[in-house]
Amino acid sequence: MQVREVMTKRPDYCPADASIRQVAERMRKDNSGFEPLVEGDRIVGTVTDRDLTVRALAEGKSPDDKASSIASSQVLYAFEDQDVNEVLRNMQEQHVQRLVVLNNQNDKSLVGIVTLGDIADRCEDDQMAREIANCSKHYH
């Protein structure tokens, strides 16, 4: 199974100059805990619900401050044609439960997000279930 078969696609993401409030509102609207910040189809950072609650509050940020001020600039990603098992191993090694999905190694355009939940929804066998459980054990 390839990532494109399980990933979540959306028509748009928050712009790089979005405020912390705008990102939080988008997460609420989409029932998501992860938001890429983009310029066109290029990712400039990612914001998690943890970034909003821990980083923003701890640093005394205002809801009107730029979300880029609390975003992670190291963007972890997968490619849409990658095997899901390979992506699960990468998630486990990186201690994450979600990755942005890029179209290919040449263009690297944002095409979606893949989460452990996306993969679990399409889980096909015991080995994959074990990999999903292993990723969940190491979450932080």
Side-chain angles (χ1 to χ4, degrees):
M1 185 172 15
Q2 292 184 326
V3 171
R4 72 170 49 90
E5 298 172 60
V6 299
M7 71 184 191
T8 299
K9 300 175 193 176
R10 289 198 334 232
D12 64 339
Y13 299 93
C14 281
D17 64 348
S19 69
I20 291 171
R21 181 188 321 274
Q22 289 170 313
V23 170
E25 288 170 347
R26 179 63 183 256
M27 286 181 184
R28 180 179 60 194
K29 175 183 166 268
D30 293 335
N31 193 30
S32 170
F34 181 81
E35 185 65 31
L37 300 178
V38 299
E39 287 180 354
D41 64 354
R42 302 290 180 208
I43 304 164
V44 297
T46 59
V47 179
T48 66
D49 47 5
R50 183 175 169 86
D51 292 329
L52 291 175
T53 59
V54 175
R55 187 177 293 171
L57 286 174
E59 294 177 7
K61 298 289 184 177
S62 158
D64 298 318
D65 287 342
K66 297 292 182 202
S68 58
S69 69
I70 60 164
S72 298
S73 58
Q74 179 187 8
V75 178
L76 301 176
Y77 58 89
F79 293 109
E80 65 181 344
D81 63 351
Q82 272 186 285
D83 183 85
V84 169
N85 289 307
E86 181 183 344
V87 171
L88 279 170
R89 285 188 293 278
N90 184 24
M91 287 177 165
Q92 185 176 5
E93 289 170 7
Q94 299 299 324
H95 305 289
V96 298
Q97 291 191 3
R98 46 202 160 201
L99 297 170
V100 296
V101 180
L102 307 178
N103 62 339
N104 61 55
Q105 291 184 355
N106 296 327
D107 296 336
K108 294 187 177 178
S109 295
L110 176 64
V111 293
I113 297 169
V114 64
T115 69
L116 278 181
D118 294 330
I119 297 168
D121 287 345
R122 299 285 303 271
C123 184
E124 296 179 337
D125 58 46
D126 291 342
Q127 179 58 34
M128 184 178 285
R130 281 191 290 279
E131 291 293 330
I132 293 167
N134 285 336
C135 286
S136 298
K137 288 178 187 175
H138 300 291
Y139 179 72
H140 69 277

